[in-house]
Amino acid sequence: MLRTKKLQLVSTIYRNIERIKKEIQNFNFEQSADLEVFRIKFLGSKNCIKELFMELKNVPNDEKKNVGLLLNSLKFLAEEKYNLNKLQSSEHEKNDSQFDLSLPSQKISLGAHHPLSITSNKIISIFNKIGFDTSEGPEIEDDWHNFTALNFPLNHPARDMQDTFFIQKGDKEHVLRTHTSSVQVRVMETSKPPIRTISAGRVYRNEAISARAHCFFHQIEGLYIDKNVSFADLKQTLLFFVKEMFGTDTKIRMRPSYFPFTEPSAEVDMSCTLCNQKGCNVCKHTGWLEIMGCGMVDPNVLEACGIDPKIYSGFAFGMGVERIAQLKYRVGDLRLYSENDVRFLNQFQSGR
Ligand code: DAH
Protein backbone atom coordinates (compact mmCIF):
# COMPACT_ATOMS: atom_id res chain seq x y z
CA MET A 1 0.00 0.00 0.00
CA LEU A 2 1.22 3.46 -0.84
CA ARG A 3 2.40 5.63 2.03
CA THR A 4 -0.20 8.33 1.27
CA LYS A 5 -2.97 5.71 1.19
CA LYS A 6 -1.71 4.31 4.46
CA LEU A 7 -1.84 7.75 6.03
CA GLN A 8 -5.39 8.26 4.77
CA LEU A 9 -6.29 4.92 6.36
CA VAL A 10 -4.78 5.97 9.67
CA SER A 11 -6.77 9.17 9.78
CA THR A 12 -9.97 7.21 8.91
CA ILE A 13 -9.18 4.82 11.78
CA TYR A 14 -8.67 7.74 14.18
CA ARG A 15 -12.01 9.25 13.11
CA ASN A 16 -13.77 5.91 13.54
CA ILE A 17 -12.22 5.42 16.97
CA GLU A 18 -13.54 8.84 18.01
CA ARG A 19 -17.01 8.09 16.57
CA ILE A 20 -17.29 4.66 18.26
CA LYS A 21 -16.03 6.13 21.55
CA LYS A 22 -18.83 8.73 21.47
CA GLU A 23 -21.37 6.06 20.53
CA ILE A 24 -20.33 3.93 23.51
CA GLN A 25 -20.39 6.89 25.88
CA ASN A 26 -23.81 8.07 24.69
CA PHE A 27 -25.43 4.66 24.52
CA ASN A 28 -28.61 4.67 26.65
CA PHE A 29 -29.85 1.45 28.20
CA GLU A 30 -33.56 2.14 28.16
CA GLN A 31 -34.94 -1.37 27.96
CA SER A 32 -33.49 -4.67 29.08
CA ALA A 33 -33.04 -5.68 25.36
CA ASP A 34 -30.61 -2.76 24.90
CA LEU A 35 -27.95 -4.65 26.80
CA GLU A 36 -27.85 -7.34 24.11
CA VAL A 37 -27.89 -4.73 21.31
CA PHE A 38 -24.83 -3.12 22.91
CA ARG A 39 -23.06 -6.45 23.35
CA ILE A 40 -23.52 -7.47 19.69
CA LYS A 41 -22.45 -4.09 18.37
CA PHE A 42 -19.33 -3.48 20.47
CA LEU A 43 -18.33 -6.90 21.91
CA GLY A 44 -19.89 -9.54 19.65
CA SER A 45 -17.90 -11.80 17.24
CA LYS A 46 -18.23 -9.27 14.36
CA ASN A 47 -18.12 -6.08 16.41
CA CYS A 48 -17.06 -2.72 15.01
CA ILE A 49 -13.92 -2.45 17.17
CA LYS A 50 -12.72 -5.83 15.92
CA GLU A 51 -13.05 -4.55 12.33
CA LEU A 52 -10.69 -1.69 13.17
CA PHE A 53 -8.26 -4.12 14.82
CA MET A 54 -8.16 -6.02 11.51
CA GLU A 55 -6.95 -2.85 9.74
CA LEU A 56 -4.02 -2.60 12.15
CA LYS A 57 -1.76 -4.57 9.80
CA ASN A 58 -2.04 -1.79 7.18
CA VAL A 59 -1.12 0.98 9.62
CA PRO A 60 2.47 2.28 9.21
CA ASN A 61 4.83 0.98 11.88
CA ASP A 62 5.42 4.34 13.54
CA GLU A 63 1.64 4.73 14.11
CA LYS A 64 0.85 1.10 14.98
CA LYS A 65 1.58 1.37 18.68
CA ASN A 66 -0.59 4.44 19.14
CA VAL A 67 -3.53 3.05 17.13
CA GLY A 68 -3.25 -0.26 19.02
CA LEU A 69 -3.36 1.53 22.37
CA LEU A 70 -6.42 3.55 21.34
CA LEU A 71 -8.24 0.45 20.08
CA ASN A 72 -7.49 -1.44 23.31
CA SER A 73 -8.82 1.39 25.45
CA LEU A 74 -11.92 1.51 23.23
CA LYS A 75 -12.49 -2.20 23.80
CA PHE A 76 -11.95 -1.71 27.53
CA LEU A 77 -14.46 1.16 27.57
CA ALA A 78 -17.11 -1.02 25.88
CA GLU A 79 -16.49 -3.96 28.27
CA GLU A 80 -16.66 -1.74 31.31
CA LYS A 81 -19.93 -0.07 30.29
CA TYR A 82 -21.46 -3.44 29.42
CA ASN A 83 -20.50 -5.10 32.74
CA LEU A 84 -21.73 -2.19 34.80
CA ASN A 85 -25.14 -2.11 33.14
CA LYS A 86 -25.48 -5.88 33.27
CA LEU A 87 -24.95 -5.74 37.03
CA GLN A 88 -27.51 -2.95 37.45
CA SER A 89 -30.16 -4.70 35.39
CA SER A 90 -29.76 -7.96 37.33
CA GLU A 91 -30.18 -5.98 40.59
CA HIS A 92 -33.41 -4.55 39.19
CA GLU A 93 -34.69 -7.96 38.24
CA LYS A 94 -33.93 -9.21 41.72
CA ASN A 95 -35.85 -6.33 43.30
CA ASP A 96 -38.76 -6.68 40.91
CA SER A 97 -39.12 -10.34 41.76
CA GLN A 98 -39.51 -9.45 45.45
CA PHE A 99 -42.96 -8.09 44.70
CA ASP A 100 -45.63 -10.68 44.21
CA LEU A 101 -48.62 -8.53 43.42
CA SER A 102 -50.98 -11.47 43.70
CA LEU A 103 -50.23 -11.88 47.42
CA PRO A 104 -52.83 -10.62 49.95
CA SER A 105 -51.84 -7.36 51.63
CA GLN A 106 -50.16 -7.26 55.02
CA LYS A 107 -52.44 -7.45 58.04
CA ILE A 108 -53.10 -4.07 59.62
CA SER A 109 -52.81 -4.51 63.35
CA LEU A 110 -55.85 -3.06 65.08
CA GLY A 111 -55.82 -1.48 68.49
CA ALA A 112 -58.37 -2.31 71.15
CA HIS A 113 -60.53 -0.20 73.40
CA HIS A 114 -59.22 -0.13 76.94
CA PRO A 115 -61.27 -2.38 79.25
CA LEU A 116 -62.05 0.62 81.45
CA SER A 117 -63.36 2.57 78.44
CA ILE A 118 -65.49 -0.39 77.38
CA THR A 119 -66.90 -0.70 80.91
CA SER A 120 -67.43 3.00 81.36
CA ASN A 121 -69.14 3.39 77.95
CA LYS A 122 -71.41 0.45 78.71
CA ILE A 123 -72.42 1.88 82.11
CA ILE A 124 -73.11 5.29 80.58
CA SER A 125 -75.18 3.82 77.75
CA ILE A 126 -77.34 1.92 80.26
CA PHE A 127 -78.15 5.13 82.12
CA ASN A 128 -78.64 7.03 78.86
CA LYS A 129 -81.50 4.62 78.11
CA ILE A 130 -83.41 5.87 81.14
CA GLY A 131 -82.88 9.56 80.53
CA PHE A 132 -79.54 10.37 82.17
CA ASP A 133 -77.29 12.74 80.26
CA THR A 134 -73.52 13.02 80.80
CA SER A 135 -71.51 15.77 82.44
CA GLU A 136 -67.86 16.45 83.11
CA GLY A 137 -65.78 18.32 85.64
CA PRO A 138 -62.11 19.19 86.19
CA GLU A 139 -59.62 16.76 87.72
CA ILE A 140 -57.94 19.61 89.60
CA GLU A 141 -60.67 20.72 91.96
CA ASP A 142 -61.07 23.35 94.63
CA ASP A 143 -61.94 22.55 98.23
CA TRP A 144 -65.51 23.78 97.80
CA HIS A 145 -66.48 21.37 95.03
CA ASN A 146 -64.56 18.39 96.33
CA PHE A 147 -65.37 18.72 100.06
CA THR A 148 -67.17 21.72 101.50
CA ALA A 149 -70.26 21.81 99.28
CA LEU A 150 -70.55 18.05 99.79
CA ASN A 151 -70.97 18.56 103.52
CA PHE A 152 -67.54 17.26 104.55
CA PRO A 153 -66.75 18.67 108.01
CA LEU A 154 -63.41 20.49 108.31
CA ASN A 155 -61.88 17.68 110.34
CA HIS A 156 -63.05 14.86 108.05
CA PRO A 157 -60.24 12.28 107.50
CA ALA A 158 -60.60 12.55 103.68
CA ARG A 159 -59.18 16.06 103.95
CA ASP A 160 -56.03 14.58 105.41
CA MET A 161 -52.71 14.71 103.53
CA GLN A 162 -52.52 10.94 103.89
CA ASP A 163 -55.64 10.47 101.79
CA THR A 164 -55.67 13.35 99.35
CA PHE A 165 -53.18 14.92 96.95
CA PHE A 166 -53.11 18.66 97.67
CA ILE A 167 -51.60 20.95 95.05
CA GLN A 168 -50.91 24.63 94.84
CA LYS A 169 -52.65 26.35 91.92
CA GLY A 170 -51.97 30.08 91.77
CA ASP A 171 -52.13 31.33 95.34
CA LYS A 172 -54.89 28.86 96.25
CA GLU A 173 -54.62 25.31 97.48
CA HIS A 174 -56.39 22.76 95.28
CA VAL A 175 -56.80 19.00 95.31
CA LEU A 176 -56.70 16.29 92.69
CA ARG A 177 -60.36 15.34 92.96
CA THR A 178 -60.85 12.38 95.25
CA HIS A 179 -64.21 11.44 93.73
CA THR A 180 -66.51 12.37 90.87
CA SER A 181 -69.10 13.58 93.40
CA SER A 182 -67.49 17.00 92.84
CA VAL A 183 -69.16 17.04 89.41
CA GLN A 184 -72.64 16.79 90.96
CA VAL A 185 -71.94 20.03 92.81
CA ARG A 186 -70.96 21.73 89.55
CA VAL A 187 -74.06 20.44 87.75
CA MET A 188 -76.42 21.51 90.57
CA GLU A 189 -74.81 24.95 90.73
CA THR A 190 -75.29 25.56 87.02
CA SER A 191 -78.60 23.90 86.13
CA LYS A 192 -82.15 23.71 87.42
CA PRO A 193 -84.04 20.50 88.32
CA PRO A 194 -85.07 18.13 86.92
CA ILE A 195 -81.47 16.94 86.74
CA ARG A 196 -80.54 13.46 85.61
CA THR A 197 -76.84 13.17 84.95
CA ILE A 198 -73.94 10.72 84.89
CA SER A 199 -70.37 11.89 85.32
CA ALA A 200 -67.43 9.64 84.63
CA GLY A 201 -63.77 10.34 85.13
CA ARG A 202 -60.46 9.77 86.83
CA VAL A 203 -60.03 10.33 90.54
CA TYR A 204 -56.96 10.38 92.79
CA ARG A 205 -56.15 9.13 96.28
CA ASN A 206 -52.91 9.22 98.20
CA GLU A 207 -52.52 5.44 98.35
CA ALA A 208 -49.56 3.08 98.00
CA ILE A 209 -49.91 1.16 94.72
CA SER A 210 -50.75 -2.52 95.10
CA ALA A 211 -53.00 -5.11 93.44
CA ARG A 212 -55.97 -3.73 95.42
CA ALA A 213 -55.23 -0.01 95.67
CA HIS A 214 -53.95 2.65 93.30
CA CYS A 215 -53.17 6.34 93.45
CA PHE A 216 -55.66 6.92 90.61
CA PHE A 217 -58.73 5.07 89.43
CA HIS A 218 -62.04 5.82 87.72
CA GLN A 219 -65.50 6.52 89.04
CA ILE A 220 -68.97 7.00 87.69
CA GLU A 221 -71.33 9.24 89.58
CA GLY A 222 -75.08 9.43 89.10
CA LEU A 223 -77.41 12.21 90.21
CA TYR A 224 -81.16 12.59 89.97
CA ILE A 225 -82.91 15.68 91.36
CA ASP A 226 -86.61 16.43 90.93
CA LYS A 227 -89.78 16.83 92.95
CA ASN A 228 -90.73 13.75 94.97
CA VAL A 229 -87.69 11.62 94.17
CA SER A 230 -87.68 8.75 96.65
CA PHE A 231 -85.41 5.99 97.90
CA ALA A 232 -87.63 3.53 95.95
CA ASP A 233 -86.68 5.37 92.72
CA LEU A 234 -83.03 4.96 93.66
CA LYS A 235 -83.42 1.24 94.27
CA GLN A 236 -85.31 0.62 91.00
CA THR A 237 -82.76 2.62 89.02
CA LEU A 238 -79.86 0.62 90.43
CA LEU A 239 -81.72 -2.68 89.97
CA PHE A 240 -82.29 -1.78 86.31
CA PHE A 241 -78.59 -1.02 85.98
CA VAL A 242 -77.28 -4.32 87.40
CA LYS A 243 -79.73 -6.38 85.34
CA GLU A 244 -78.62 -4.61 82.16
CA MET A 245 -74.95 -4.87 83.07
CA PHE A 246 -74.71 -8.37 84.57
CA GLY A 247 -77.85 -10.20 83.41
CA THR A 248 -81.55 -10.26 84.28
CA ASP A 249 -81.13 -12.75 87.15
CA THR A 250 -78.94 -10.36 89.11
CA LYS A 251 -80.32 -9.13 92.45
CA ILE A 252 -79.27 -6.24 94.68
CA ARG A 253 -79.40 -5.55 98.38
CA MET A 254 -78.72 -2.36 100.29
CA ARG A 255 -76.92 -2.00 103.60
CA PRO A 256 -77.08 1.19 105.69
CA SER A 257 -73.88 3.23 105.41
CA TYR A 258 -72.58 6.76 105.84
CA PHE A 259 -71.45 9.45 103.39
CA PRO A 260 -71.34 13.14 104.32
CA PHE A 261 -73.30 14.14 101.20
CA THR A 262 -76.21 11.68 101.41
CA GLU A 263 -78.81 10.96 104.07
CA PRO A 264 -79.79 8.17 104.35
CA SER A 265 -76.82 6.46 102.73
CA ALA A 266 -76.38 2.88 101.63
CA GLU A 267 -73.81 0.44 100.31
CA VAL A 268 -75.11 -1.58 97.35
CA ASP A 269 -74.30 -5.27 96.94
CA MET A 270 -75.23 -7.38 93.96
CA SER A 271 -75.71 -11.15 93.89
CA CYS A 272 -72.46 -12.90 92.94
CA THR A 273 -72.79 -13.76 89.26
CA LEU A 274 -69.58 -15.79 89.33
CA CYS A 275 -70.89 -18.54 91.62
CA ASN A 276 -74.64 -17.86 91.45
CA GLN A 277 -74.52 -17.15 95.17
CA LYS A 278 -73.23 -20.61 96.01
CA GLY A 279 -70.10 -19.02 97.52
CA CYS A 280 -66.70 -18.43 95.92
CA ASN A 281 -63.39 -16.66 96.59
CA VAL A 282 -64.49 -13.46 94.84
CA CYS A 283 -67.60 -12.99 97.03
CA LYS A 284 -65.70 -14.41 100.00
CA HIS A 285 -68.39 -17.10 100.30
CA THR A 286 -71.12 -14.57 101.12
CA GLY A 287 -72.91 -14.72 97.74
CA TRP A 288 -72.81 -10.89 97.56
CA LEU A 289 -70.43 -8.40 95.93
CA GLU A 290 -70.12 -4.77 97.01
CA ILE A 291 -70.44 -2.52 93.96
CA MET A 292 -71.25 1.07 94.95
CA GLY A 293 -72.31 3.68 97.45
CA CYS A 294 -75.52 5.67 97.19
CA GLY A 295 -78.11 7.66 99.09
CA MET A 296 -80.59 10.55 99.10
CA VAL A 297 -78.77 13.84 98.51
CA ASP A 298 -78.35 15.56 101.87
CA PRO A 299 -80.53 18.75 102.12
CA ASN A 300 -77.37 20.65 103.16
CA VAL A 301 -75.79 19.77 99.81
CA LEU A 302 -78.88 20.86 97.86
CA GLU A 303 -78.89 24.14 99.74
CA ALA A 304 -75.13 24.72 99.23
CA CYS A 305 -75.70 24.32 95.50
CA GLY A 306 -78.68 26.67 95.33
CA ILE A 307 -81.48 24.11 95.14
CA ASP A 308 -84.40 24.43 97.56
CA PRO A 309 -84.55 21.18 99.61
CA LYS A 310 -88.17 21.96 100.60
CA ILE A 311 -89.23 21.63 96.95
CA TYR A 312 -86.73 19.16 95.56
CA SER A 313 -85.20 15.88 96.63
CA GLY A 314 -82.76 13.61 94.85
CA PHE A 315 -80.58 10.57 94.93
CA ALA A 316 -76.92 10.03 94.06
CA PHE A 317 -74.72 7.02 93.60
CA GLY A 318 -71.07 6.44 92.85
CA MET A 319 -69.19 3.38 91.66
CA GLY A 320 -65.63 2.42 90.77
CA VAL A 321 -65.19 1.53 87.09
CA GLU A 322 -62.25 -0.79 87.93
CA ARG A 323 -64.48 -2.67 90.36
CA ILE A 324 -67.22 -3.21 87.75
CA ALA A 325 -64.59 -4.19 85.14
CA GLN A 326 -63.07 -6.61 87.64
CA LEU A 327 -66.42 -8.33 88.05
CA LYS A 328 -67.14 -8.32 84.33
CA TYR A 329 -63.68 -9.49 83.15
CA ARG A 330 -62.31 -11.07 86.34
CA VAL A 331 -59.23 -8.88 86.36
CA GLY A 332 -58.11 -8.89 89.98
CA ASP A 333 -54.96 -6.76 89.86
CA LEU A 334 -55.66 -3.01 89.59
CA ARG A 335 -52.14 -2.29 88.27
CA LEU A 336 -52.89 -4.09 84.99
CA TYR A 337 -55.22 -1.29 83.95
CA SER A 338 -52.48 1.32 83.79
CA GLU A 339 -49.37 -0.64 82.79
CA ASN A 340 -50.17 -0.55 79.05
CA ASP A 341 -49.13 -4.17 78.53
CA VAL A 342 -50.41 -5.04 75.05
CA ARG A 343 -50.69 -8.73 76.01
CA PHE A 344 -53.38 -7.66 78.48
CA LEU A 345 -54.98 -4.98 76.30
CA ASN A 346 -55.18 -7.16 73.15
CA GLN A 347 -57.59 -9.46 74.95
CA PHE A 348 -60.24 -6.74 74.69
CA GLN A 349 -60.13 -6.45 70.91
CA SER A 350 -63.70 -7.62 70.52
CA GLY A 351 -64.73 -4.45 72.38
CA ARG A 352 -67.19 -6.28 74.64
N1 DAH B 1 -68.01 9.58 96.46
C1 DAH B 1 -68.03 8.27 97.04
C2 DAH B 1 -66.63 7.68 97.10
O1 DAH B 1 -65.78 8.19 96.47
C3 DAH B 1 -68.94 7.36 96.27
C4 DAH B 1 -70.37 7.76 96.45
C5 DAH B 1 -71.08 7.24 97.50
C6 DAH B 1 -70.93 8.63 95.60
C7 DAH B 1 -72.41 7.59 97.68
C8 DAH B 1 -72.28 9.02 95.79
C9 DAH B 1 -73.00 8.45 96.83
O2 DAH B 1 -72.91 9.86 94.99
O3 DAH B 1 -74.29 8.80 97.00
O4 DAH B 1 -66.43 6.73 97.75
Side-chain angles (χ1 to χ4, degrees):
M1 213 188 261
L2 281 171
R3 172 110 187 128
T4 44
K5 270 212 159 173
K6 281 189 178 176
L7 288 177
Q8 270 178 4
L9 175 75
V10 170
S11 74
T12 315
I13 292 175
Y14 279 139
R15 256 186 280 119
N16 281 338
I17 289 175
E18 249 341 275
R19 180 181 51 78
I20 294 171
K21 190 176 165 188
K22 280 207 180 97
E23 259 184 74
I24 293 172
Q25 283 168 338
N26 296 335
F27 194 97
N28 258 339
F29 294 91
E30 277 163 9
Q31 305 162 1
S32 56
D34 289 343
L35 198 66
E36 189 57 5
V37 173
F38 184 93
R39 192 191 64 77
I40 292 168
K41 186 161 185 189
F42 301 106
L43 301 166
S45 56
K46 290 180 188 158
N47 75 67
C48 54
I49 304 172
K50 216 178 204 176
E51 278 169 21
L52 295 182
F53 264 114
M54 275 156 44
E55 297 285 354
L56 204 56
K57 59 179 184 299
N58 299 320
V59 172
N61 284 345
D62 51 349
E63 288 287 340
K64 232 178 213 139
K65 193 177 169 200
N66 198 28
V67 174
L69 279 174
L70 286 175
L71 286 174
N72 272 334
S73 64
L74 198 60
K75 192 179 157 199
F76 181 71
L77 184 71
E79 280 171 353
E80 210 179 33
K81 183 148 180 165
Y82 176 77
N83 289 337
L84 188 74
N85 280 281
K86 194 174 168 182
L87 196 75
Q88 280 174 355
S89 79
S90 67
E91 286 285 307
H92 271 138
E93 265 167 33
K94 228 198 281 165
N95 287 345
D96 284 351
S97 64
Q98 277 172 1
F99 296 108
D100 179 351
L101 299 180
S102 63
L103 284 175
S105 62
Q106 272 179 1
K107 203 175 153 222
I108 298 167
S109 68
L110 289 178
H113 281 289
H114 193 280
L116 293 180
S117 302
I118 301 170
T119 309
S120 177
N121 291 342
K122 171 91 182 141
I123 297 170
I124 291 170
S125 77
I126 293 172
F127 286 105
N128 283 164
K129 279 191 204 171
I130 49 173
F132 283 77
D133 61 14
T134 49
S135 45
E136 281 180 16
E139 290 184 15
I140 298 174
E141 228 356 322
D142 51 35
D143 176 276
W144 169 258
H145 292 95
N146 197 77
F147 294 128
T148 306
L150 287 164
N151 209 26
F152 277 80
L154 270 175
N155 58 354
H156 194 278
R159 290 172 178 263
D160 203 290
M161 295 279 278
Q162 268 75 50
D163 288 295
T164 302
F165 289 113
F166 288 88
I167 51 171
Q168 203 72 27
K169 193 182 166 204
D171 53 359
K172 271 176 132 186
E173 196 173 57
H174 282 67
V175 297
L176 289 182
R177 70 176 174 200
T178 60
H179 51 186
T180 43
S181 304
S182 55
V183 188
Q184 53 163 287
V185 176
R186 290 186 174 271
V187 174
M188 285 191 280
E189 280 175 340
T190 52
S191 43
K192 287 193 162 40
I195 295 169
R196 254 175 297 181
T197 194
I198 292 287
S199 1
R202 187 174 282 186
V203 300
Y204 302 82
R205 304 264 171 102
N206 195 355
E207 301 257 9
I209 298 171
S210 71
R212 298 171 150 265
H214 212 296
C215 58
F216 67 81
F217 52 99
H218 300 79
Q219 282 191 337
I220 287 193
E221 180 85 11
L223 175 72
Y224 179 26
I225 312 275
D226 204 350
K227 289 176 183 153
N228 302 320
V229 176
S230 70
F231 203 91
D233 297 325
L234 169 61
K235 192 170 178 187
Q236 282 310 310
T237 305
L238 298 182
L239 186 60
F240 172 78
F241 162 69
V242 291
K243 284 176 184 285
E244 288 280 307
M245 190 78 196
F246 295 100
T248 45
D249 294 338
T250 320
K251 297 191 278 279
I252 57 168
R253 72 174 186 187
M254 287 168 142
R255 287 176 288 111
S257 185
Y258 171 77
F259 298 102
F261 37 89
T262 44
E263 182 59 35
S265 306
E267 221 49 85
V268 184
D269 297 341
M270 70 170 212
S271 51
C272 182
T273 47
L274 305 177
C275 65
N276 278 332
Q277 295 200 289
K278 289 190 188 76
C280 67
N281 282 345
V282 180
C283 66
K284 299 199 190 84
H285 300 277
T286 62
W288 294 96
L289 300 160
E290 192 180 313
I291 53 165
M292 68 176 103
C294 67
M296 301 305 292
V297 181
D298 193 300
N300 287 343
V301 175
L302 292 175
E303 214 162 305
C305 300
I307 293 176
D308 189 346
K310 287 187 215 79
I311 307 174
Y312 295 105
S313 57
F315 65 69
F317 56 88
M319 66 185 106
V321 182
E322 279 81 352
R323 172 71 173 152
I324 304 293
Q326 178 201 5
L327 299 175
K328 194 95 186 142
Y329 303 119
R330 303 186 195 183
V331 177
D333 192 326
L334 275 179
R335 292 168 294 193
L336 282 166
Y337 291 115
S338 51
E339 278 169 354
N340 277 341
D341 187 334
V342 285
R343 291 169 302 177
F344 170 68
L345 297 173
N346 270 340
Q347 295 175 56
F348 299 91
Q349 239 166 17
S350 73
R352 284 158 188 271

